Amino acid sequence: MRVEIWSDIACPWCYIGKARFEKGLAAFAHRDEVEVVHRSFELDPGRAKGDVGLVVDMLAEKFGRSREEALAMEEHVASNARSEGLGYRTEGRDHGSTFDIHRVLHLAKAHGGQDALLDFAYRANFAEERSVYDQETLVGLAVEAGLVEAEVRRVLADPDAYADDVRADQREAAELGANGVPFFVLDRRYGVSGGQPAELFTQALEQAWQGRVITPVAAPDAAVCDTDGSCEIPGAGAQSSQAGAHS
Amino acid sequence: MRVEIWSDIACPWCYIGKARFEKGLAAFAHRDEVEVVHRSFELDPGRAKGDVGLVVDMLAEKFGRSREEALAMEEHVASNARSEGLGYRTEGRDHGSTFDIHRVLHLAKAHGGQDALLDFAYRANFAEERSVYDQETLVGLAVEAGLVEAEVRRVLADPDAYADDVRADQREAAELGANGVPFFVLDRRYGVSGGQPAELFTQALEQAWQGRVITPVAAPDAAVCDTDGSCEIPGAGAQSSQAGAHS
């Protein structure tokens, strides 16, 4: 079974949701048969590279609140994070374009280490107040996740590298009806929106596992090879008896 | 959209079916949004490594036919292959355990080049009478597909390398109800069995594209971040107005 998770490094519920999903997955009997893939979703796709500011200032400006109210919004999310054992600092965090981070996450996907890089980037962004919008910080996290430094720098220096992969993920999210993140898709069949409780993820995994039914596309004359060694040959004169029994 | 193809290098309908699928995919409007993954399926899982013989002898013995009848069976498959522009030699081809080939295909999957290696292995096995059961031939094909020779040799020398991946693919095929190959699964939703005509693959891709509906798992209090910048905070006092509208 495959679980695709659309998320953004700037999204606190993605950070919390990833931890809750992993708890839910750990309680799922068939966890060893689950493949997890992370997909890109920019929460602020219009933001220019280099346009970086404090999260609380962005929140206050965007929603017309005072700095104290913005901090209270952050504090509520932080309490949810802490109840999952996750660090969360409400001040000093940056907000900016996550496009480059998503490009490097795609590099990590191609070479292994995507999940680790996402964990490290979340930790830096939410728990450590290290700015993931700073290129050197991002390079350091990627190397920590096992990527080759020169490769990471090559990707960051070439704005086209993995850019189409990021956009393809985002287009696909829209096609699948996702308006926000985190968005979890199980075997392209069931969707879970939001950083739900771990138990709900376990239930969803069980539901998707039970629902693994493949609808056969109507097709004549199946030309297949079976484990009995026969290759059914539609219309052949020299069919094996096994093959004949299927025709 | 993702298409998974279970196949075995020893399966002539997989060889033909791959070519037909690719023609069908080329005629599909959203072909650029289709990811293809190859999965392992051993047609003869009980065969010992090193137990290699001629295909026609295996066929004749297995189905109690004369060598001439076995050749006629092969010739019928060959005519199907040739009508797709694929080379196919009916004599001199070997039959043996494909487990090591599947292990190297998993190495190729992890490093890129899986599709190319499968093409090269099919070509060697069916069109060129080069024995893919010979280790040096297999190493040469893998290097041709872009793999690092030392990595390939390391995997071949370690019987556990990627062995679990091969077995997991085979277990999954059984769970999905596949008794033979090729078996095509579109977005874990629709299945196509056999080396069908290209047009059928195009139709199946169109059907799966239309059927890309994600069923939401019932869940309370979606804790998501939207592209409008708001992170819905269930039960929070300091919700943004946007977030409040969703609650």
Side-chain angles (χ1 to χ4, degrees), chain A residues 223-247:
Chain A
V224 302
C225 296
D226 292 336
T227 46
D228 64 6
S230 77
C231 295
E232 296 185 20
I233 307 173
Q239 285 177 312
S240 72
S241 55
Q242 284 91 332
H246 291 284
S247 297

Side-chain angles (χ1 to χ4, degrees), chain A residues 17 27 29 31 42 116 182 215:
Chain A
R31 58 188 171 274
E42 289 176 281
T215 304

Side-chain angles (χ1 to χ4, degrees), chain A residues 65 76 188-189 233 239, chain B residues 76 188-189 233 239:
Chain A
R65 304 293 176 94
H76 180 83
R188 281 296 164 107
R189 191 180 293 267
I233 307 173
Q239 285 177 312
Chain B
H76 179 83
R188 281 294 163 109
R189 191 180 293 268
I233 305 174
Q239 283 178 314

Side-chain angles (χ1 to χ4, degrees), chain B residues 69-90:
Chain B
E69 286 171 320
L71 261 179
M73 292 165 73
E74 273 281 273
E75 196 53 51
H76 179 83
V77 183
S79 67
N80 276 271
R82 290 178 194 130
S83 70
E84 299 295 336
L86 299 169
Y88 198 110
R89 299 193 177 194
T90 53

Side-chain angles (χ1 to χ4, degrees), chain B:
Chain B
M1 196 159 73
R2 187 168 75 145
V3 177
E4 295 162 283
I5 309 177
W6 274 264
S7 57
D8 192 10
I9 197 69
C11 155
W13 290 113
C14 300
Y15 172 50
I16 297 165
K18 183 173 192 292
R20 289 178 175 169
F21 168 78
E22 286 166 1
K23 282 182 195 166
L25 178 62
F28 176 54
H30 304 283
R31 58 187 170 274
D32 292 340
E33 296 179 60
V34 174
E35 173 195 8
V36 175
V37 178
H38 297 286
R39 299 215 175 272
S40 301
F41 190 105
E42 288 176 283
L43 273 181
D44 197 352
R47 183 163 291 254
K49 184 177 174 174
D51 180 8
V52 176
L54 287 176
V55 169
V56 285
D57 292 345
M58 179 275 292
L59 288 173
E61 186 186 345
K62 190 145 203 159
F63 302 115
R65 304 292 176 96
S66 69
R67 201 165 186 287
E68 287 64 39
E69 286 171 320
L71 261 179
M73 292 165 73
E74 273 281 273
E75 196 53 51
H76 179 83
V77 183
S79 67
N80 276 271
R82 290 178 194 130
S83 70
E84 299 295 336
L86 299 169
Y88 198 110
R89 299 193 177 194
T90 53
E91 287 201 70
R93 283 205 302 116
D94 276 343
H95 178 76
S97 167
T98 56
F99 195 72
D100 280 355
I101 307 173
H102 285 299
R103 295 197 298 116
V104 177
L105 282 165
H106 273 280
L107 171 71
K109 182 184 175 195
H111 290 78
Q114 188 194 39
D115 193 79
L117 176 55
L118 190 55
D119 278 340
F120 297 162
Y122 278 143
R123 187 197 62 204
N125 186 45
F126 292 106
E128 297 175 353
E129 284 180 13
R130 291 164 66 196
S131 182
V132 291
Y133 309 101
D134 172 74
Q135 180 156 316
E136 291 308 308
T137 301
L138 181 55
V139 170
L141 295 168
V143 170
E144 185 183 352
L147 295 183
V148 176
E149 180 171 341
E151 274 286 290
V152 179
R153 292 194 185 278
R154 189 189 59 74
V155 165
L156 286 171
D158 173 9
D160 290 334
Y162 296 105
D164 285 347
D165 297 274
V166 176
R167 292 187 197 106
D169 279 358
Q170 297 186 158
R171 188 174 55 236
E172 201 152 44
E175 287 167 355
L176 295 175
N179 304 310
V181 282
F183 185 60
F184 302 77
V185 173
L186 291 70
D187 265 355
R188 281 294 163 109
R189 191 180 293 268
Y190 299 100
V192 176
S193 180
Q196 302 291 344
E199 299 72 33
L200 190 132
F201 286 116
T202 309
Q203 288 165 25
L205 288 162
E206 284 162 358
Q207 183 178 342
W209 188 264
Q210 295 301 322
R212 293 190 310 158
V213 178
I214 304 295
T215 304
V217 170
D221 297 323
V224 301
C225 296
D226 292 336
T227 47
D228 64 5
S230 77
C231 294
E232 297 186 20
I233 305 174
Q239 283 178 314
S240 70
S241 56
Q242 284 90 332
H246 291 283
S247 296

Side-chain angles (χ1 to χ4, degrees), chain A residues 113-186:
Chain A
Q114 188 194 37
D115 194 77
L117 176 55
L118 190 55
D119 278 340
F120 298 161
Y122 279 141
R123 185 196 63 203
N125 186 46
F126 291 105
E128 298 176 353
E129 282 179 16
R130 290 165 66 197
S131 182
V132 290
Y133 308 101
D134 172 73
Q135 181 157 316
E136 291 309 307
T137 302
L138 181 55
V139 170
L141 295 169
V143 170
E144 185 183 352
L147 295 183
V148 176
E149 179 170 343
E151 274 285 291
V152 179
R153 293 195 184 279
R154 190 189 58 75
V155 166
L156 287 170
D158 173 8
D160 290 335
Y162 296 105
D164 285 346
D165 296 275
V166 177
R167 292 188 196 106
D169 278 358
Q170 298 186 156
R171 187 174 57 238
E172 200 152 45
E175 288 166 356
L176 295 176
N179 303 311
V181 283
F183 186 61
F184 302 77
V185 174
L186 291 69

